[in-house]
Amino acid sequence: MKKTWLIYLSGEIHTDWREQIMSGAQALELPAEFVSPVTNHEASDAAGDVLGEESQQFWRDHKSSKVNAIRCNTLIEHCDIAIIRFGGKYKQWNAAFDAGYCAALGKPYITLHDESIIHPLKEVDAAAKAWATTPQQVVKLLQYTLNGA
Amino acid sequence: MKKTWLIYLSGEIHTDWREQIMSGAQALELPAEFVSPVTNHEASDAAGDVLGEESQQFWRDHKSSKVNAIRCNTLIEHCDIAIIRFGGKYKQWNAAFDAGYCAALGKPYITLHDESIIHPLKEVDAAAKAWATTPQQVVKLLQYTLNGA
Amino acid sequence: MKKTWLIYLSGEIHTDWREQIMSGAQALELPAEFVSPVTNHEASDAAGDVLGEESQQFWRDHKSSKVNAIRCNTLIEHCDIAIIRFGGKYKQWNAAFDAGYCAALGKPYITLHDESIIHPLKEVDAAAKAWATTPQQVVKLLQYTLNGA
Amino acid sequence: MKKTWLIYLSGEIHTDWREQIMSGAQALELPAEFVSPVTNHEASDAAGDVLGEESQQFWRDHKSSKVNAIRCNTLIEHCDIAIIRFGGKYKQWNAAFDAGYCAALGKPYITLHDESIIHPLKEVDAAAKAWATTPQQVVKLLQYTLNGA
Amino acid sequence: MKKTWLIYLSGEIHTDWREQIMSGAQALELPAEFVSPVTNHEASDAAGDVLGEESQQFWRDHKSSKVNAIRCNTLIEHCDIAIIRFGGKYKQWNAAFDAGYCAALGKPYITLHDESIIHPLKEVDAAAKAWATTPQQVVKLLQYTLNGA
Amino acid sequence: MKKTWLIYLSGEIHTDWREQIMSGAQALELPAEFVSPVTNHEASDAAGDVLGEESQQFWRDHKSSKVNAIRCNTLIEHCDIAIIRFGGKYKQWNAAFDAGYCAALGKPYITLHDESIIHPLKEVDAAAKAWATTPQQVVKLLQYTLNGA
Amino acid sequence: MKKTWLIYLSGEIHTDWREQIMSGAQALELPAEFVSPVTNHEASDAAGDVLGEESQQFWRDHKSSKVNAIRCNTLIEHCDIAIIRFGGKYKQWNAAFDAGYCAALGKPYITLHDESIIHPLKEVDAAAKAWATTPQQVVKLLQYTLNGA
Amino acid sequence: MKKTWLIYLSGEIHTDWREQIMSGAQALELPAEFVSPVTNHEASDAAGDVLGEESQQFWRDHKSSKVNAIRCNTLIEHCDIAIIRFGGKYKQWNAAFDAGYCAALGKPYITLHDESIIHPLKEVDAAAKAWATTPQQVVKLLQYTLNGA
């Protein structure tokens, strides 16, 4: 297909997995465009601050999360494939939330995580189309899928 | 409405929050029926074993999770309201996955968790209709919603 | 059809139009069940208070409205017909919101309002199946529609 | 995302809020295209007149509103984000109708209104992704959302 | 299946084809419930008159048709099978409209008409699951389909 | 909106109403692209002949109609607005079928027909966004809708 | 859940696998109702004969298949779980067709087949929730899923 | 329509039917773009190997099929028309699966197969828009459908 596939990169923001996938895809000249949520942690937490300060943590988080959802939900609904990355640290419930969102929409997604967290991710992996452990594997799956060969 | 509301109780399985909600609703004679995923941890992990043993952990988990998904997805799609509980321990990615699934379907859900995990649950809470900290609050929300008064 | 039609009564809460419709339908033994949002103004405004007090008006309203939405959205999605009443006073934006919600879902609705507000309600009426000025007219429309004669 | 986001500007037509948002977005070179309903009040009221004159106000309004709905519904369904503005005057039920329409479709929208009408707009705001009080805030939300940074 | 199948009988109102199908189904004790639009021609044309008289034919028809649509669309969306009858006379565009409505919803329908109008009904028949020429054939199709034998 | 609106021209094929609308739109430089079913009557009836001859009229019609449906359904589902024309002659059940198909999909359509057939078209007109009597009126509605002014 | 689960039994008709599943479920008093397509081969092939004889095999098959589709599609859309059985003989393309139909609808299904045909069924199994080799395994999966324990 | 129609070529991979259709369409300068699943048998079977080797045939097939599904489902959902080819050999359950998937989505498809397998394909053909026996016939159907003449 001549069209550009839209790939949504969801999840962990503390390592360079997004860059690895994007540069790998670029090297192969894959017909892919990559999009992500806002990956700057502080900017993301402050997304709603422009609308006025909040004294309570819950409402500040609430306001920022709803602002972030405008971008995230729109991109998930438009994307062709989502890559959902779970790192070794933090709760990362937003990544699992995105996976459930994709699953309900029938949107294909690939998980990217280490073997050490297979068990707690079993429901997330069961609804995924593939589980990869390295960005290089993701690039190869994209190459195969987008080029059809 | 004379009909019985179907309430799906998702998430943490190590405390008696389900029993508290159900007995509270029963005491008030709410028109509610409660359903849950299989909450016996060992039985849930072994859901696919009847189909043959697996030597690899990934595939055992995969097989069991797909079997569990038959029940979970069907109940989520049929329910009127989901209550999604996050405890203090474990990854609980399946609970966040269920929240995302509900959000994409437009199914209303209420989260139940302590104040200590507000920040990592901010995306999950942003798409919820309410955040409660005790089963008693959930019962009161159900009373208000189901009785309409 | 032997089934009971579910009729959702949305909008103005300061006159007895709901009672007039319900008693009229009962007198005719129509196969109808009537449901409404919480029509007690104070209870509705306080719907979220059980989850903790809010110091800011915006968040108290926000929390209560989301709680109320659990009931309202569920009933709109389950109902067969909505009756949406606009009185002479107040903004009543929630009633117009419900009308738009019904329109997008393809759910048939009947408006009930005086001739004096035809012009500002023109978009709401354009997507309605009928415009009535009295509860008695609504009862007659229900009689015709439900009994099919 | 390289694509242009389509932003629908719904609601009040008596102030220059649309122009402020559009010029603000242009100054920042945001990848946004803005669309609106017909904002000329007289033209909008007369939208159906080309099809023949009506002697009754109700039918003239009805005919024009259905004609206007061709444009409005199509643009709402195509847009990525709606901005819904409520001014201090008039009923503006069409704006609340658009909000309900967006909510039922799962289309993200931002409300733009003063603090003085928080309470009557609580249901509309509860289903919104954000509430802004100035066009400048809207521009900043768009900048954050569209540029992802 | 133990459930009762809901059969919608659309179209021509000048012969007793509905009664023939219903009595045939009753004789066989089929698990079927039959529903129809209002088949009294005068009552149907006057469906909107309760809302006030109209001086123009177009608006009287318009008002009545929208009222009738409440019943018709609801029953089509709820039914399991539609039977759509075309007689030898009149335009019967409403019957073809119902067929298109069913087709777009993926609702199975059976046409009932003489051989003489095969050609003008070719698009309607192409989207139908079956074409019958007598009510007795329809009863046999229902017997086979509902009893599964 | 900068995009080109896709307009589907359905119905009667014996007069030049399509040409009138297209040349009128071209003169105004409207951002419209027009599509139609195959309007050559003989070619349309023979659409399936390439797949082998049929001895029975019903199956020849059936085969051709299904082939024609590939084009018609695809264009209806892609179009932004449908114009549905009813002439003074013939059954034209396919035009009413298209109207019902549009109605079920929520696709806006405009009917184009003389005053003499208002009554038999009342259900078709009730679900339409507008009823026009001349191609020039249709062009004006498109001008208003597409240009938004 | 107190409700009865509707289980659709699709596929091979030459062995007693349906009876084994049904009697196994009955022995365990599972809250299940079982439905099937018409499993009498000759009756199924002749489903359309009541509408008139056909001289060509293609059209006889076509007519009967469309009649059978009324029952099959309705039951698939209503069922909670489908069991799809592939035997050792015949093409059984209808069973694979049903699997694809379920997959597109998001309807959970379990395949039932021998190990010898794993490879040609790999796409069908990949979209299934489970693969069983004996009716007894299916009964155990239903027991686990329906009883939730 | 000026747009390029996207045609998905599903099924048999051992003859040059895809090339015949594509070169036929090119010779006629049809506005068509053709896409296919991966048609290299060995590459398709190995699609998941990059993610790690599997010792069991079932899981190797499972992993590869899920990877292949990313491409196949995405292309089916994006295509305008699917051509589904059944050859004389092999089970080809994936082709029948694709047909069922298309049918449930309402996506039009054309089957391409010999007369010898009419009977086992009757359900697949019944939901198709056309049955062709040669690639040349398919090209002619595309010419008629895409050019609209």
Side-chain angles (χ1 to χ4, degrees):
Chain A
M1 192 160 57
K2 284 167 209 159
K3 78 153 192 151
T4 298
W5 293 62
L6 188 66
I7 316 293
Y8 184 67
L9 303 172
S10 168
E12 188 240 339
I13 58 174
H14 303 95
T15 63
D16 69 345
W17 67 276
R18 281 184 179 81
E19 287 67 30
Q20 290 190 50
I21 290 175
M22 288 190 283
S23 64
Q26 198 174 18
L28 292 165
E29 298 186 343
L30 298 187
E33 183 187 353
F34 294 92
V35 285
S36 296
V38 171
T39 56
N40 178 318
H41 196 154
E42 289 184 11
S44 170
D45 282 0
D49 289 359
V50 66
L51 301 170
E53 298 209 347
E54 295 298 329
S55 52
Q56 283 189 277
Q57 181 62 29
F58 182 81
W59 293 119
R60 187 192 183 220
D61 279 348
H62 198 74
K63 208 158 63 169
S64 290
S65 293
K66 291 184 100 172
V67 168
N68 281 315
I70 302 176
R71 179 173 176 85
C72 296
N73 295 3
T74 301
L75 294 182
I76 286 181
E77 279 162 35
H78 282 351
C79 81
D80 296 299
I81 304 173
I83 315 296
I84 305 181
R85 162 75 182 159
F86 291 85
K89 295 181 190 168
Y90 308 108
K91 294 295 193 184
Q92 305 176 81
W93 282 320
N94 58 326
F97 180 87
D98 280 1
Y101 201 94
C102 286
L105 296 178
K107 189 77 64 181
Y109 67 89
I110 296 168
T111 58
L112 174 62
H113 63 81
D114 288 349
E115 207 163 335
S116 60
I117 47 178
I118 282 178
H119 193 62
L121 277 171
K122 62 185 186 298
E123 289 85 3
V124 172
D125 282 343
K129 290 290 185 234
W131 159 51
T133 53
T134 69
Q136 287 67 41
Q137 288 177 328
V138 173
V139 172
K140 284 185 183 162
L141 290 177
L142 292 178
Q143 180 183 26
Y144 176 83
T145 297
L146 276 56
N147 286 345
Chain B
M1 191 161 56
K2 286 168 206 158
K3 80 153 192 149
T4 298
W5 293 61
L6 188 67
I7 315 293
Y8 183 68
L9 303 172
S10 168
E12 187 240 340
I13 57 174
H14 302 96
T15 62
D16 69 344
W17 67 276
R18 283 184 179 81
E19 287 66 32
Q20 289 189 50
I21 290 175
M22 289 190 283
S23 64
Q26 197 174 19
L28 293 165
E29 297 186 343
L30 298 186
E33 183 186 354
F34 294 92
V35 285
S36 296
V38 171
T39 55
N40 178 319
H41 197 153
E42 289 184 11
S44 171
D45 282 0
D49 289 358
V50 65
L51 301 171
E53 298 208 346
E54 294 299 330
S55 52
Q56 283 190 278
Q57 180 63 29
F58 182 80
W59 293 119
R60 188 195 182 218
D61 279 348
H62 197 73
K63 207 158 63 169
S64 290
S65 293
K66 291 184 98 172
V67 168
N68 281 316
I70 303 175
R71 180 173 175 86
C72 296
N73 296 4
T74 302
L75 294 181
I76 286 180
E77 280 162 34
H78 281 350
C79 81
D80 295 298
I81 304 172
I83 314 297
I84 305 183
R85 162 73 182 160
F86 291 85
K89 295 181 191 168
Y90 309 107
K91 294 294 192 184
Q92 306 177 82
W93 282 321
N94 58 324
F97 180 88
D98 279 2
Y101 201 94
C102 286
L105 296 178
K107 188 76 64 180
Y109 67 90
I110 297 167
T111 58
L112 173 62
H113 62 82
D114 288 350
E115 206 162 337
S116 58
I117 48 178
I118 282 179
H119 193 61
L121 278 172
K122 63 185 185 298
E123 288 86 3
V124 172
D125 282 343
K129 289 291 183 231
W131 159 51
T133 53
T134 68
Q136 286 67 42
Q137 287 177 326
V138 173
V139 171
K140 283 183 184 162
L141 290 177
L142 292 178
Q143 179 183 25
Y144 176 83
T145 298
L146 275 56
N147 286 346
Chain C
M1 190 161 58
K2 284 166 208 160
K3 78 152 192 150
T4 298
W5 293 61
L6 188 66
I7 315 294
Y8 184 67
L9 303 172
S10 168
E12 188 241 341
I13 58 173
H14 302 95
T15 62
D16 68 344
W17 67 276
R18 282 184 178 82
E19 287 67 33
Q20 289 189 49
I21 290 175
M22 288 191 283
S23 64
Q26 197 174 18
L28 292 165
E29 298 186 342
L30 297 187
E33 182 187 356
F34 294 92
V35 285
S36 296
V38 172
T39 55
N40 178 319
H41 197 154
E42 289 184 11
S44 169
D45 281 1
D49 289 358
V50 65
L51 301 171
E53 299 209 347
E54 294 299 329
S55 52
Q56 283 190 276
Q57 181 62 29
F58 182 80
W59 293 120
R60 186 194 183 218
D61 278 350
H62 198 74
K63 206 158 64 170
S64 289
S65 294
K66 291 184 98 172
V67 168
N68 281 316
I70 303 176
R71 179 173 176 85
C72 295
N73 296 3
T74 301
L75 294 182
I76 287 182
E77 279 162 35
H78 282 350
C79 80
D80 295 298
I81 304 172
I83 314 298
I84 306 182
R85 163 74 182 159
F86 292 85
K89 295 181 190 168
Y90 308 107
K91 294 295 192 183
Q92 305 176 79
W93 282 319
N94 58 325
F97 180 87
D98 280 1
Y101 201 93
C102 286
L105 296 178
K107 189 77 64 182
Y109 67 89
I110 297 167
T111 58
L112 173 61
H113 63 81
D114 288 349
E115 206 162 336
S116 59
I117 47 178
I118 282 178
H119 193 63
L121 278 172
K122 62 184 187 297
E123 288 86 3
V124 172
D125 282 343
K129 289 291 184 233
W131 159 50
T133 54
T134 69
Q136 287 66 42
Q137 287 177 328
V138 173
V139 171
K140 284 184 183 161
L141 290 177
L142 292 178
Q143 179 183 27
Y144 176 83
T145 298
L146 276 57
N147 285 345
Chain D
M1 191 160 56
K2 284 167 208 161
K3 79 154 192 147
T4 299
W5 294 61
L6 188 66
I7 316 294
Y8 184 67
L9 303 172
S10 168
E12 188 239 341
I13 58 175
H14 302 95
T15 63
D16 68 344
W17 66 277
R18 282 185 179 80
E19 286 67 31
Q20 290 189 49
I21 290 175
M22 288 190 285
S23 64
Q26 198 174 19
L28 293 165
E29 298 186 342
L30 298 187
E33 183 187 352
F34 295 91
V35 285
S36 296
V38 171
T39 55
N40 178 320
H41 197 156
E42 288 184 12
S44 170
D45 281 1
D49 288 0
V50 66
L51 301 170
E53 299 209 345
E54 294 299 330
S55 52
Q56 283 190 277
Q57 182 62 29
F58 182 80
W59 293 119
R60 188 195 182 216
D61 279 347
H62 197 73
K63 207 159 62 171
S64 290
S65 294
K66 291 184 99 171
V67 168
N68 282 315
I70 302 176
R71 180 173 175 86
C72 295
N73 296 3
T74 300
L75 294 182
I76 286 181
E77 280 162 34
H78 282 349
C79 81
D80 295 299
I81 304 173
I83 314 298
I84 306 182
R85 162 75 181 158
F86 292 85
K89 295 181 191 168
Y90 308 107
K91 294 295 192 184
Q92 305 175 82
W93 282 320
N94 58 325
F97 180 87
D98 279 1
Y101 201 94
C102 286
L105 295 178
K107 189 77 64 180
Y109 67 90
I110 297 168
T111 59
L112 173 61
H113 62 83
D114 288 349
E115 206 163 336
S116 58
I117 47 178
I118 281 179
H119 192 63
L121 278 172
K122 62 185 185 297
E123 289 85 3
V124 171
D125 282 342
K129 290 291 184 233
W131 159 51
T133 53
T134 69
Q136 287 67 41
Q137 287 176 327
V138 172
V139 172
K140 284 184 184 161
L141 291 177
L142 292 179
Q143 179 183 26
Y144 176 83
T145 297
L146 276 55
N147 286 345
Chain E
M1 192 160 57
K2 284 168 208 160
K3 80 153 192 148
T4 298
W5 293 61
L6 189 66
I7 316 294
Y8 184 66
L9 303 172
S10 168
E12 187 241 340
I13 58 174
H14 301 95
T15 62
D16 69 344
W17 67 276
R18 281 184 180 82
E19 286 66 32
Q20 289 189 49
I21 289 175
M22 288 190 283
S23 63
Q26 197 174 20
L28 292 166
E29 299 186 341
L30 298 187
E33 183 187 354
F34 294 91
V35 285
S36 295
V38 171
T39 56
N40 178 319
H41 197 154
E42 289 184 10
S44 170
D45 280 1
D49 288 0
V50 65
L51 301 170
E53 298 209 347
E54 294 299 330
S55 53
Q56 282 190 277
Q57 181 63 28
F58 182 80
W59 293 120
R60 188 195 183 217
D61 278 349
H62 198 73
K63 207 159 63 169
S64 290
S65 294
K66 291 184 99 172
V67 168
N68 282 315
I70 302 175
R71 179 173 176 85
C72 295
N73 296 2
T74 301
L75 295 182
I76 286 181
E77 279 161 36
H78 282 350
C79 81
D80 295 298
I81 304 173
I83 314 296
I84 305 182
R85 162 74 181 159
F86 291 85
K89 295 181 190 167
Y90 309 108
K91 293 296 193 185
Q92 305 176 81
W93 281 320
N94 59 325
F97 180 87
D98 280 2
Y101 201 94
C102 286
L105 296 177
K107 189 76 65 180
Y109 68 89
I110 297 168
T111 59
L112 174 61
H113 62 81
D114 288 350
E115 206 162 336
S116 59
I117 48 178
I118 282 178
H119 193 62
L121 278 172
K122 62 185 185 297
E123 288 86 3
V124 172
D125 283 342
K129 289 289 184 234
W131 159 51
T133 54
T134 69
Q136 287 67 42
Q137 287 177 329
V138 173
V139 171
K140 284 183 182 161
L141 291 177
L142 292 177
Q143 180 182 26
Y144 176 83
T145 297
L146 276 56
N147 286 345
Chain F
M1 193 161 53
K2 285 167 207 160
K3 79 153 193 149
T4 298
W5 294 60
L6 188 67
I7 315 293
Y8 184 68
L9 303 172
S10 168
E12 189 239 340
I13 58 174
H14 302 94
T15 63
D16 69 344
W17 67 276
R18 281 185 179 82
E19 287 66 31
Q20 290 189 50
I21 290 175
M22 289 190 284
S23 64
Q26 198 174 19
L28 293 164
E29 298 186 342
L30 298 186
E33 182 187 353
F34 294 92
V35 285
S36 296
V38 172
T39 56
N40 178 319
H41 197 154
E42 288 185 10
S44 170
D45 282 1
D49 289 0
V50 66
L51 301 170
E53 299 209 346
E54 294 299 329
S55 52
Q56 283 189 278
Q57 182 62 30
F58 182 80
W59 293 118
R60 188 194 182 218
D61 279 349
H62 198 74
K63 208 158 63 170
S64 290
S65 294
K66 291 184 99 172
V67 168
N68 281 315
I70 302 176
R71 180 175 175 86
C72 296
N73 296 3
T74 301
L75 294 182
I76 286 181
E77 279 162 35
H78 283 349
C79 81
D80 295 299
I81 305 173
I83 314 297
I84 306 182
R85 162 74 181 158
F86 291 85
K89 295 180 190 168
Y90 308 107
K91 294 296 193 184
Q92 305 177 82
W93 282 320
N94 58 325
F97 180 87
D98 279 1
Y101 201 94
C102 286
L105 296 178
K107 188 77 64 180
Y109 67 90
I110 297 168
T111 58
L112 174 61
H113 61 83
D114 288 349
E115 205 163 336
S116 58
I117 47 177
I118 282 178
H119 193 62
L121 277 172
K122 63 184 185 296
E123 288 86 2
V124 172
D125 282 343
K129 289 292 184 233
W131 159 51
T133 54
T134 70
Q136 286 67 41
Q137 288 177 328
V138 172
V139 171
K140 284 184 182 160
L141 291 177
L142 292 178
Q143 180 183 24
Y144 176 83
T145 298
L146 275 56
N147 286 345
Chain G
M1 193 162 54
K2 284 168 207 160
K3 80 153 193 150
T4 298
W5 293 61
L6 188 66
I7 316 294
Y8 184 67
L9 303 172
S10 168
E12 187 239 341
I13 58 173
H14 302 95
T15 62
D16 69 344
W17 67 276
R18 281 184 180 83
E19 286 68 31
Q20 289 189 48
I21 290 175
M22 288 190 284
S23 63
Q26 198 174 18
L28 293 165
E29 297 186 343
L30 298 187
E33 183 187 353
F34 294 92
V35 285
S36 296
V38 171
T39 55
N40 177 319
H41 196 155
E42 288 185 10
S44 170
D45 281 1
D49 289 359
V50 66
L51 301 170
E53 298 208 348
E54 294 299 329
S55 52
Q56 282 189 278
Q57 181 62 29
F58 182 80
W59 293 119
R60 188 195 182 216
D61 279 348
H62 198 74
K63 208 158 64 169
S64 290
S65 294
K66 291 183 98 172
V67 168
N68 281 315
I70 303 175
R71 179 174 176 86
C72 296
N73 296 3
T74 301
L75 294 182
I76 286 181
E77 280 161 35
H78 282 351
C79 81
D80 295 298
I81 304 172
I83 314 297
I84 306 182
R85 161 74 182 159
F86 291 86
K89 296 181 190 168
Y90 308 108
K91 293 296 192 184
Q92 306 178 81
W93 282 320
N94 58 324
F97 180 88
D98 279 2
Y101 201 94
C102 286
L105 296 178
K107 188 77 66 180
Y109 67 90
I110 297 167
T111 58
L112 173 62
H113 62 81
D114 288 349
E115 206 162 336
S116 58
I117 47 178
I118 282 178
H119 193 62
L121 277 172
K122 64 185 184 297
E123 288 86 4
V124 171
D125 283 342
K129 290 289 184 234
W131 159 50
T133 53
T134 68
Q136 286 67 40
Q137 287 177 328
V138 173
V139 171
K140 284 184 183 160
L141 291 177
L142 292 178
Q143 180 183 25
Y144 176 83
T145 298
L146 276 56
N147 286 346
Chain H
M1 193 160 57
K2 284 167 208 158
K3 78 154 191 150
T4 298
W5 293 62
L6 188 66
I7 316 293
Y8 184 67
L9 303 172
S10 167
E12 188 240 339
I13 58 174
H14 302 95
T15 62
D16 69 344
W17 68 276
R18 280 185 180 81
E19 287 67 31
Q20 289 189 49
I21 290 175
M22 288 190 284
S23 64
Q26 198 174 18
L28 292 165
E29 298 186 343
L30 298 187
E33 183 187 352
F34 294 92
V35 285
S36 296
V38 172
T39 55
N40 177 319
H41 196 153
E42 288 184 10
S44 170
D45 282 0
D49 288 359
V50 65
L51 301 170
E53 298 209 348
E54 295 299 330
S55 52
Q56 283 188 278
Q57 181 62 29
F58 182 81
W59 293 119
R60 187 194 183 219
D61 279 349
H62 198 74
K63 208 158 63 169
S64 290
S65 293
K66 292 183 100 172
V67 168
N68 281 316
I70 302 175
R71 179 172 176 85
C72 295
N73 296 3
T74 301
L75 294 182
I76 286 182
E77 278 161 36
H78 282 350
C79 80
D80 295 298
I81 304 172
I83 315 295
I84 305 182
R85 162 74 182 159
F86 292 85
K89 295 180 192 169
Y90 308 107
K91 293 296 192 184
Q92 305 177 80
W93 282 320
N94 58 325
F97 180 87
D98 280 1
Y101 201 94
C102 286
L105 296 177
K107 189 75 66 180
Y109 67 89
I110 297 168
T111 59
L112 174 61
H113 62 81
D114 288 349
E115 205 162 337
S116 59
I117 47 177
I118 283 178
H119 193 62
L121 278 172
K122 62 185 186 298
E123 288 85 4
V124 171
D125 282 343
K129 288 291 185 234
W131 159 51
T133 53
T134 69
Q136 287 66 42
Q137 287 177 328
V138 173
V139 172
K140 284 184 183 161
L141 291 177
L142 292 178
Q143 180 182 26
Y144 176 83
T145 297
L146 276 56
N147 286 346

